[in-house]
Amino acid sequence: MTSTRKVIITCAPTGAIHTPSMSPYLPVTPQEIGDAALAAAKEGAAILHLHARDPKDGRPTQDPAVFAEFLPRIKANTDAVINLTSGGSPHMTVEERLKPAHYFKPEVASLNMGSMNFGLYPMLDRFKELKHDWERQHLANSRDLVFKNTFADIEYIVTSCGANGTRFEFECYDISHLYNLAHFVERKLVKPPFFIQSVFGLLGGIGAHPEDLMHMRRTADRLFGKDYVWSILGAGRNQIPLATLGVAQGSNVRVGLEDSLWIGPGKLAESSAAQVTRIRQVIEGLSLEVATPAEARQMLGLKGPSEVNF
């Protein structure tokens, strides 16, 4: 008798790439971020991917002091895996982006696997009223923005964070990013299992057509064989539909207000936990099981919560 497949749900509740004015439900303060993360874990998220915001205006921040206001509370109240961003904001230097991961030594950190155009400016056509001046500028500036993740940057991240036992959520926004990962595998700078987060539907990266999903899957299979753990991130309205396609074909999933503000057509999600609930219903409807944090740790070869610095 074969065992039921376990599906890892990652939740990104902190809305890093969206501005707070776009949804009243985006958490901003450390209290709100902690509440959102714990609610997502309660609904079944085995991994929590976390950013921080300046509580005064919601601007993305990589100040470890802000992370320190919510990380211990989250760890004390859930056994979910904590995954800290190394992306921060495309407007930050790589050294600034890495401050939280270097200081807190998490089990997992995100890692963008290549430089790319990162176009958020079309949101200006959909969201006319923004609360803070920085938000409009942030979106407008993305018209002429390259999110810098050079080979030198990636090598610095994998070696410096890897020295702390941190493993990675390899965020692959295009096919070339899979080949970039294969380059670091060939150089033996990263070791399996590789947790590959295939990202679809952001302007500047691969599209969100089902054929794009299959192209990512076929390429990853060819490059990494059985050495990787696959996950799907669909941006915006693509979140649940692409995650559903991915789960049916063997993937894990990522949801949360960082990636999509929506729970259905034209309807804002009132929490990341609601998105976790929705995709959990899909997983269980396919007669699969949601992975526990302990199962996720085993699948990804993580060091365990006792080895982090918070």
Side-chain angles (χ1 to χ4, degrees), residues 3-303:
S3 59
T4 303
R5 182 165 67 88
K6 309 287 187 177
V7 179
I8 299 171
I9 300 177
T10 297
C11 183
T14 43
I17 65 171
H18 298 295
T19 57
S21 296
M22 290 181 178
S23 169
Y25 305 113
L26 279 171
V28 174
T29 68
Q31 179 69 38
E32 291 169 345
I33 290 169
D35 290 347
L38 290 172
K42 184 177 180 180
E43 290 303 307
I47 300 176
L48 300 170
H49 171 64
L50 300 174
H51 292 246
R53 290 181 175 275
D54 185 323
K56 295 190 297 292
D57 61 7
R59 190 189 300 267
T61 179
Q62 292 295 87
D63 183 354
V66 181
F67 283 83
E69 292 188 48
F70 57 79
L71 286 179
R73 176 186 167 215
I74 294 172
K75 182 184 176 186
N77 288 281
T78 179
D79 63 345
V81 176
I82 304 299
N83 169 354
L84 295 186
T85 178
S86 76
S89 164
H91 303 284
M92 298 175 181
T93 66
V94 68
E95 290 80 11
E96 184 179 3
R97 288 160 42 192
L98 278 175
K99 285 180 180 179
H102 280 168
Y103 183 82
F104 294 108
K105 304 177 183 179
E107 293 183 79
V108 180
S110 64
L111 175 50
N112 295 62
M113 286 309 297
S115 300
M116 60 179 290
N117 294 335
F118 206 81
L120 301 177
Y121 63 90
M123 294 180 186
L124 288 169
D125 295 330
R126 303 198 299 273
F127 298 91
K128 302 297 185 182
E129 301 295 329
L130 296 173
K131 183 177 180 181
H132 304 291
D133 290 339
W134 73 265
E135 298 177 289
R136 185 167 298 280
Q137 183 180 8
H138 172 74
L139 296 177
N141 286 349
S142 72
R143 191 183 301 271
D144 189 30
L145 174 69
V146 174
F147 189 3
K148 175 178 171 290
N149 294 281
T150 65
F151 289 111
D153 293 337
I154 295 169
E155 182 172 345
Y156 175 51
I157 294 170
V158 298
T159 54
S160 62
C161 292
N164 295 326
T166 297
R167 294 182 62 81
F168 302 97
E169 174 195 21
F170 294 105
E171 295 189 357
C172 296
Y173 293 76
D174 218 333
I175 296 299
S176 61
H177 294 183
L178 294 173
Y179 282 93
N180 291 349
L181 176 56
H183 165 75
F184 287 97
V185 173
E186 184 178 356
R187 293 176 58 191
K188 302 188 186 317
L189 291 178
V190 293
K191 297 180 180 179
F194 313 115
F195 184 31
I196 296 179
Q197 193 70 255
S198 299
V199 184
F200 301 90
L202 282 170
L203 183 60
I206 198 168
H209 192 278
E211 287 294 332
D212 295 318
L213 185 150
M214 288 308 304
H215 186 30
M216 273 275 201
R217 174 67 189 271
R218 287 191 297 264
T219 305
D221 281 349
R222 177 163 43 81
L223 292 175
F224 308 111
K226 296 182 178 180
D227 285 340
Y228 80 104
V229 176
W230 186 37
S231 187
I232 295 293
L233 188 172
R237 61 185 176 85
N238 304 298
Q239 184 180 84
I240 300 300
L242 276 188
T244 301
L245 287 175
V247 169
Q249 297 175 46
S251 83
N252 302 281
V253 295
R254 175 170 142 175
V255 297
L257 292 179
E258 175 178 339
D259 309 321
S260 175
L261 299 176
W262 311 100
I263 194 67
K267 184 178 180 181
L268 290 172
E270 295 188 11
S271 67
S272 292
Q275 296 172 330
V276 174
T277 301
R278 180 64 55 86
I279 197 60
R280 191 188 72 222
Q281 292 167 343
V282 170
I283 292 166
E284 293 170 346
L286 292 171
S287 298
L288 304 174
E289 294 182 3
V290 173
T292 66
E295 289 166 338
R297 286 185 171 94
Q298 182 177 24
M299 292 164 68
L300 300 176
L302 304 183
K303 64 182 181 178

